[in-house]
Amino acid sequence: MMHFFKEKLASALSPMVAVDATTLQDWIEIPPDKQLGDLAFPCFQLAKSMRKSPQAIASELAPKLDTEPFISKSEAVGPYVNVHLNRKEAVSYWITQMQENLDFFTSNGGQNQAVAIDLSSPNIAKPFSMGHLRSTIIGTALANLLESDGYQVFRINHLGDWGTQFGKIIVAYHRYGEVEAIKKHPIQELNALYVRFHEEAETNPALEDEGRAAFKRLEDGDEATLDLWRWMVSVSMEEFNRTYAMLGTRFTHVLGESFYNDKMDSVVKELSEKHLLTTSEGAEVVMLEEENLPPCLIRKSDGATLYATRDLAAALYRYRDLGATSLWYVVGGEQRLHFQQLFAVLTRMGYSFAKDCRHIAFGLMKIGGKKMSTRKGQIVRLQEVLDEAVRRAREIIDEKNPGLKSADATAKAIGVGAVIFNDLKTHRIHEINFSLEQAVAFEGETGPYVQYTHARACSLLRKAGLLTGNESTNEWVTFTLNSSIDIAEIAAYEWDDVTYELVKTLSYYSSVRQRAIDDSDPSQIAKFVLDTAQAFNRFYHDVPILSASDQDRRLRLVLVDATRITILRALKILGLECPVEI
Ligand code: ARG
């Protein structure tokens, strides 16, 4: 909506200041303090051409703009002209837009583009870390965001299921492993074996050789060793899948690093044919001096390939076989160098898609201010964090709404939603400190707060007989927005500050979504949902809805419904569920 009125304001100003409307439109701002108005025009850039002070220009323009029918008031404040829109006109415009395109929640900017998003990607036999959690949450939100813009999205889980560590775990398994214990707590036990291996190797260095030999057997395709490895992969996956089920994570491709084993030779061959390989101390590397990066290690002196080699093969697979036009990697900031090297090698290989590769980095997630390390075996089991979040949500629900029918499902939606929202409300690059207490609270900038606001909107609609649907599938339909609203009705309505503010906030949705896509930044959606929830709750407290006169009630319920749909769609993008009752 604001975009439309920016355009209108720019066209009105253009003849007055002799600057084209497109340029002016870029200058127009939205004042940070809403008391100041809906739009603000800064006059600094005109000072030179008009040979007047910005203040003088502002005082000159303000009364001229006052005569425009879409403006209710314009005033000069220092170097700015602040503009208050004619609310009736603004609201009519927004509602008409919404009725014409109920789906302003989606668009098709991404048509004919396919993005491969590398997300989650935990390591077999190791705990699912906070970093993997962040990658899963951020990657899923980005995937949903792109899909809402018509992109084709591949959600790829690049499991760490290959590498020398498996040789070590296998050796430790033969020496100290217990099948039953592993079956019960696969990751905990397999990780303990890995830790034990390192402890024992300190006094018994021969173990290292054994480990290398075991990995060699794996690489050579020894069936018995492979069987053991497959078993470790499958028990680990069972545990990861429980976490994915809880988070509602889905993948289009689960392709571990091992998937690329038979694709390595051709990568090395291609590098060699393109004269990119240099031998250094027996190993083969790609020198990246011009890029100011350390050499990228491709093959060790014993012939073993590396993490980077597998990522090269994976990138080519995504581009050639899957047909992805850009490759995104949602991986912690500590792997920055790895991705710089990877993209540099792809560029050297002559692949122009390398410029469309993005490392979507993020900061650490700390619990109670501490970073979690898995090396020394100190594990915060993610599943425990999620379970605890759900348990606390359940406690709060039991207190607030003891008779709630679907309490279990609701507690899960709230508890998991709390963890997801806590992650996404801050820009991903920042470190986040996770406090369960704060995340699960129904007050403050939390998932439960916005979910509760959505449920409140549903409850109003239900009381008004406007929410009908299927409780078992949790699909609900309302029809207020589809029924036509008479523009005359809107004109007759008194658009008080609080109601107008709600409309204005809702109207930002499509532009916020677009910006979130452009910046690959889901936190903009999360902030928008918080603003919407705040504006709605003020409206709910200050303005009578169900008890209002027929006409007012009808219009207000339309706004309630618009709020409901907007929060629902936005939270869906972020990966949160929205129970209709809490
Ligand atoms: N498994 C890796 C880790 O836990 C992350 C993989 C990220 N994706 C990639 N294509 N390198 O550190």
Side-chain angles (χ1 to χ4, degrees):
M1 169 168 97
M2 281 308 148
H3 186 78
F4 173 76
F5 287 99
K6 268 188 187 177
E7 255 174 58
K8 278 190 93 148
L9 178 60
S11 315
L13 279 165
S14 182
M16 299 178 197
V17 300
V19 175
D20 68 282
T22 330
T23 309
L24 291 176
Q25 208 182 309
D26 284 342
W27 296 356
I28 298 170
E29 296 170 13
I30 297 196
D33 176 359
K34 33 188 181 282
Q35 305 297 330
L36 294 174
D38 299 312
L39 297 171
F41 179 68
C43 300
F44 307 104
Q45 316 220 41
L46 292 170
K48 216 169 166 196
S49 62
M50 294 177 74
R51 291 206 224 130
K52 275 183 205 145
S53 72
Q55 287 80 355
I57 301 171
S59 324
E60 209 172 280
L61 291 176
K64 288 193 195 160
L65 285 175
D66 245 350
T67 60
E68 292 290 334
F70 71 95
I71 291 174
S72 73
K73 190 170 93 181
S74 69
E75 52 189 353
V77 178
Y80 284 92
V81 185
N82 289 338
V83 171
H84 298 258
L85 297 176
N86 175 327
R87 293 183 176 183
K88 291 176 181 175
E89 194 157 325
V91 176
S92 304
Y93 173 78
W94 174 69
I95 290 192
T96 321
Q97 283 281 299
M98 204 163 50
Q99 283 178 328
E100 269 170 24
N101 177 16
L102 249 188
D103 251 352
F104 65 84
F105 303 99
T106 58
S107 50
N108 56 9
Q111 246 178 1
N112 304 325
Q113 294 186 67
V115 182
I117 303 188
D118 186 304
L119 74 154
S120 196
S121 310
N123 302 318
I124 295 299
K126 280 206 194 159
F128 196 98
S129 71
M130 290 297 153
H132 299 126
L133 175 67
R134 290 211 73 188
S135 169
T136 310
I137 290 175
I138 297 166
T140 298
L142 286 172
N144 295 339
L145 193 55
L146 290 183
E147 269 173 8
S148 79
D149 197 31
Y151 286 82
Q152 183 182 7
V153 179
F154 303 114
R155 303 169 187 241
I156 305 180
N157 195 352
H158 187 75
L159 290 173
D161 64 354
W162 204 251
T164 47
Q165 72 273 26
F166 288 96
K168 299 177 185 178
I169 300 171
I170 285 168
V171 168
Y173 172 80
H174 285 311
R175 289 180 167 240
Y176 331 105
E178 286 167 42
V179 178
E180 284 315 308
I182 298 176
K183 276 191 186 153
K184 242 193 230 145
H185 301 288
I187 306 239
Q188 186 184 322
E189 291 300 320
L190 291 174
N191 188 57
L193 286 176
Y194 183 64
V195 173
R196 174 97 183 254
F197 178 92
H198 282 283
E199 281 166 6
E200 303 277 345
E202 270 176 34
T203 51
N204 179 8
L207 276 183
E208 296 283 357
D209 289 333
E210 272 185 49
R212 269 189 284 275
F215 184 57
K216 182 92 182 32
R217 284 202 301 281
L218 207 50
E219 287 209 297
D220 293 344
D222 173 64
E223 263 315 312
T225 319
L226 271 176
D227 271 346
L228 185 56
W229 168 80
R230 279 191 205 109
W231 176 69
M232 289 175 181
V233 172
S234 85
V235 290
S236 300
M237 272 324 281
E238 270 171 38
E239 214 172 312
F240 295 154
N241 284 337
R242 236 176 296 145
T243 304
Y244 293 140
M246 199 146 181
L247 292 167
T249 315
R250 55 190 179 85
F251 297 100
T252 58
H253 299 80
V254 179
L255 298 175
E257 292 184 32
S258 66
F259 175 76
Y260 303 98
N261 283 348
D262 64 357
K263 300 169 181 62
M264 297 298 211
D265 285 346
S266 75
V267 173
V268 178
K269 187 160 161 255
E270 187 177 338
L271 286 168
S272 155
E273 279 167 7
K274 291 182 172 166
H275 307 293
L276 294 170
L277 286 183
T278 310
T279 312
S280 158
E281 295 166 31
E284 291 180 282
V285 306
V286 177
M287 297 304 286
L288 297 169
E289 277 158 338
E290 278 162 42
E291 291 83 349
N292 242 325
L293 295 169
C296 181
L297 197 50
I298 300 294
R299 193 145 64 175
K300 289 203 268 189
S301 49
D302 63 3
T305 53
L306 293 113
Y307 183 54
T309 329
R310 290 189 282 276
D311 252 331
L312 276 174
L316 295 179
Y317 180 80
R318 289 167 197 183
Y319 170 68
R320 284 191 200 135
D321 297 62
L322 298 182
T325 47
S326 30
L327 312 185
W328 292 11
Y329 298 84
V330 187
V331 184
E334 66 281 358
Q335 293 195 29
R336 185 154 164 258
L337 182 60
H338 166 73
F339 287 105
Q340 285 177 329
Q341 291 176 306
L342 177 67
F343 302 161
V345 174
L346 287 168
T347 307
R348 289 235 178 174
M349 290 172 90
Y351 289 109
S352 58
F353 75 85
K355 63 176 186 339
D356 298 313
C357 290
R358 286 194 212 175
H359 174 205
I360 315 256
F362 52 82
L364 289 175
M365 166 128 94
K366 293 181 172 176
I367 295 193
K370 275 192 238 119
K371 185 187 165 191
M372 298 303 144
S373 126
T374 59
R375 247 298 162 67
K376 302 215 169 64
Q378 304 169 307
I379 313 168
V380 175
R381 252 170 274 119
L382 178 74
Q383 195 59 47
E384 276 169 24
V385 173
L386 290 172
D387 288 342
E388 181 65 12
V390 172
R391 214 181 49 74
R392 299 237 187 149
R394 180 65 197 255
E395 270 173 24
I396 302 177
I397 291 168
D398 285 345
E399 204 185 294
K400 269 187 180 285
N401 189 353
L404 185 65
K405 258 193 266 145
S406 46
D408 278 342
T410 310
K412 180 179 162 266
I414 303 290
V416 173
V419 174
I420 297 178
F421 198 85
N422 179 71
D423 190 313
L424 293 176
K425 72 176 180 184
T426 333
H427 188 280
R428 59 186 150 74
I429 212 65
H430 299 300
E431 208 166 78
I432 53 175
N433 205 345
F434 182 74
S435 141
L436 198 57
E437 206 92 12
Q438 275 168 23
V440 181
F442 276 71
E443 296 86 33
E445 302 188 333
T446 66
Y449 168 69
V450 287
Q451 285 167 315
Y452 187 68
T453 307
H454 168 267
R456 171 175 273 172
C458 290
S459 148
L460 278 168
L461 294 165
R462 198 181 313 110
K463 283 185 193 147
L466 292 173
L467 188 75
T468 54
N470 184 336
E471 205 160 335
S472 62
T473 59
N474 205 11
E475 273 169 28
W476 302 83
V477 238
T478 48
F479 43 83
T480 49
L481 285 174
N482 292 318
S483 67
S484 60
I485 294 152
D486 199 340
I487 296 300
E489 260 180 74
I490 298 167
Y493 188 82
E494 209 38 66
W495 293 95
D496 62 281
D497 288 354
V498 171
T499 312
Y500 180 62
E501 191 52 35
L502 174 62
V503 172
K504 231 169 81 175
T505 310
L506 289 170
S507 79
Y508 290 140
Y509 184 74
S510 53
S511 59
V512 169
R513 204 176 56 87
Q514 195 51 54
R515 251 190 300 125
I517 292 169
D518 294 343
D519 304 347
S520 25
D521 175 16
S523 74
Q524 299 189 28
I525 303 265
K527 293 197 180 94
F528 164 81
V529 180
L530 285 169
D531 288 345
T532 303
Q534 260 161 26
F536 177 77
N537 285 321
R538 212 167 303 129
F539 167 75
Y540 176 84
H541 286 294
D542 292 5
V543 181
I545 301 169
L546 294 176
S547 60
S549 71
D550 267 5
Q551 242 192 24
D552 286 356
R553 178 181 146 116
R554 219 169 87 78
L555 258 178
R556 287 172 191 164
L557 283 169
V558 167
L559 298 184
V560 174
D561 200 17
T563 307
R564 174 190 78 87
I565 297 188
T566 307
I567 295 183
L568 179 71
R569 301 285 179 106
L571 287 186
K572 255 210 171 121
I573 285 183
L574 299 182
L576 278 82
E577 283 180 51
C578 288
V580 290
E581 194 181 346
I582 293 178

